[in-house]
Amino acid sequence: TLPDGSTVFLESSSSITYPEDSGKKNRTLQLNGEAFFEVNHDTRHPFIISSASINTTVLGTSFNMEVRNRDAKVVVVSGTVQVNTRQGTAANKGQLVLSANKSAVYHPASNELELHDATDDARFFLQKRNGKFAYKGLPVATVLNDLQRYYNIPVKAEGKLGQCSFYGDFPVTDDLQKALTLIAVTLNAK
């Protein structure tokens, strides 16, 4: 929890730094790595996340930001954020305003931002943040993609199993084998 009451959930090998007087007049911090942010609304004091390649300005929202070397990606779960490259480019490709379920990907070679639909990413980050993966009829392939992403282990369904609908949930604290067993039992599969 930051001095202004905003919350940051850091991924492993990630860090943030901010000035000692943060939260009063200045809500600027540096991110190295990946973090999920829930920012308290304060129109007079924008929340700014700075990195080597982009700056992200927020008034009140939740989003995920990943900065590795000069690569960067911002995914908005709720609210609106503005993303700027550190060095502006022609044709306004150095600035994007993102709403929920949108992402900005920074390309260091061209110094440009690219807008993407991020509905699946936003759903993934929100579930991860809430501590539970919950599915109401999504294809098994989507569920397995989330597990693969979360556990960083390749997981795939063979045949038509990936097209089956899955209804169920499991905590993010479960190990991969427990989650796969639940899916298999639910669908009478191996």
Side-chain angles (χ1 to χ4, degrees):
T1 302
L2 298 174
D4 73 341
S6 296
T7 309
V8 180
F9 300 87
L10 288 170
E11 291 294 327
S12 61
S13 302
S14 299
S15 63
I16 59 169
T17 55
Y18 53 89
E20 199 171 303
D21 67 345
S22 181
K24 306 274 189 260
K25 295 179 182 175
N26 180 354
R27 298 197 315 161
T28 301
L29 61 83
Q30 291 278 127
L31 170 66
N32 183 21
E34 182 176 359
F36 185 86
F37 295 85
E38 291 179 343
V39 178
N40 287 342
H41 185 75
D42 183 348
T43 54
R44 293 185 302 151
H45 303 104
F47 190 93
I48 301 171
I49 302 166
S50 184
S51 74
S53 48
I54 63 172
N55 288 334
T56 302
T57 305
V58 184
L59 294 177
T61 189
S62 60
F63 63 98
N64 193 80
M65 184 168 169
E66 183 177 1
V67 179
R68 307 261 185 225
N69 300 316
R70 292 199 22 92
D71 296 321
K73 181 178 182 180
V74 177
V75 175
V76 178
V77 174
S78 66
T80 305
V81 302
Q82 178 178 313
V83 181
N84 297 307
T85 60
R86 297 283 285 180
Q87 303 165 353
T89 59
N92 228 7
K93 292 188 178 184
Q95 176 180 327
L96 287 174
V97 176
L98 305 175
S99 57
N101 299 323
K102 299 295 181 195
S103 72
V105 176
Y106 174 72
H107 299 286
S110 63
N111 191 39
E112 293 180 349
L113 294 167
E114 189 173 73
L115 178 67
H116 291 274
D117 176 76
T119 304
D120 283 340
D121 285 338
R123 178 191 47 75
F124 174 81
F125 290 126
L126 184 60
Q127 290 188 121
K128 189 169 118 176
R129 161 59 188 97
N130 290 336
K132 183 193 296 187
F133 289 107
Y135 303 94
K136 295 180 180 175
L138 286 178
V140 169
T142 300
V143 177
L144 296 180
N145 186 49
D146 286 352
L147 293 175
Q148 178 173 298
R149 189 173 177 181
Y150 185 75
Y151 293 102
N152 199 27
I153 296 174
V155 182
K156 66 179 181 176
E158 292 184 4
K160 295 183 180 183
L161 182 63
Q163 299 168 7
C164 293
S165 297
F166 178 72
Y167 295 84
D169 60 69
F170 39 88
V172 297
T173 54
D174 281 357
D175 64 25
L176 178 59
Q177 187 60 48
K178 190 172 182 180
L180 291 174
T181 300
L182 174 68
I183 295 167
V185 167
T186 304
L187 298 173
N188 193 26
K190 291 184 180 182

